[in-house]
Amino acid sequence: MPSIRVMVVDDHPIVRQGVRSLLSNYADFEIAGEADSGSGALESAARLAPDVILLDIRMPGETGIEIVKKLRQAAPEAKVLMLTSFDDDEYVTGALRAGAHGYVLKNVSDEILASAIRAVYHGERVLSSQVMDRVIQHYVDEAYEASAVGLTEEERRILRLLAEGDSNAQIAADLYLSETTVKRKLQDIFDKLSVRSRAQAAAEAVRRKLI
């Protein structure tokens, strides 16, 4: 069975050393490389093509959420598993929306981390038990509010991308729609939120916790 090639991205050397030591106890893991910053992660991921990237959420410079988005371009085949000490709702939902396959806290056991790496490698989604209930509640609340406003699931996805700063062309490409369709749906969203601009729509979405 081929090894799962793992890259570790964390600005603390002791964390990288600890993860390397942990994974050395498992025959199905191989350390493909490591990085101590977001820019280093992008360069190393493109060059080393790891199977799974363990990524901290808070590092100097760009956040882990921003790096996840860029890793989708630099290493599209790699699965990203957030490994962090922070379980803030904003971090968790932001990372998952950016494309992370899982979110695991650093206080999990060796066995749970190893299982999480294997799971995301096989395309599964993984959350630490500590954040699972909060994530579920967040999405339940969000769905309830969106339903009250009258937004469809597709409109919510468009609104989320808009709030992240994507252009109409980028939204169209992400959702496999034409730009004309995106423009029409944006107008529908504006009408439902009683706003007149993209900035107002994004602000209203945040205020109402729609995204």
Side-chain angles (χ1 to χ4, degrees), residues 79-209:
K79 306 295 194 304
V80 178
L81 174 62
M82 309 307 296
L83 179 62
T84 180
S85 301
F86 301 93
D87 64 349
D88 308 57
D89 290 350
E90 182 180 353
Y91 284 150
V92 177
T93 56
L96 296 177
R97 286 169 176 165
H101 284 71
Y103 199 104
V104 174
L105 300 183
K106 289 178 178 176
N107 62 1
V108 298
S109 68
D110 295 0
E111 293 79 8
I112 289 177
L113 178 58
S115 296
I117 294 172
R118 295 187 187 105
V120 298
Y121 172 71
H122 290 293
E124 300 175 29
R125 304 283 176 170
V126 178
L127 291 175
S128 283
S129 59
Q130 296 97 316
V131 300
M132 177 71 79
D133 290 343
R134 291 168 57 187
V135 168
I136 291 174
Q137 188 59 52
H138 174 88
Y139 280 99
V140 168
D141 292 344
E142 183 181 276
Y144 176 82
E145 184 63 32
S147 176
V149 174
L151 294 175
T152 66
E153 182 58 33
E154 185 175 59
E155 287 171 340
R156 288 174 62 197
R157 289 198 295 269
I158 291 173
L159 186 57
R160 190 174 298 129
L161 292 171
L162 177 152
E164 291 174 357
D166 285 9
S167 66
N168 287 359
Q170 290 171 317
I171 294 173
D174 281 348
L175 301 182
Y176 302 100
L177 301 171
S178 69
E179 287 191 55
T180 300
T181 299
V182 170
K183 290 178 182 178
R184 176 174 54 79
K185 290 183 178 293
L186 279 175
Q187 187 56 57
D188 290 341
I189 292 170
F190 292 172
D191 291 343
K192 290 178 180 181
L193 296 179
S194 299
V195 299
R196 305 174 108 183
S197 70
R198 297 168 70 92
Q200 289 176 347
E204 189 68 8
V206 171
R207 188 185 72 80
R208 297 195 189 192
K209 298 183 179 179

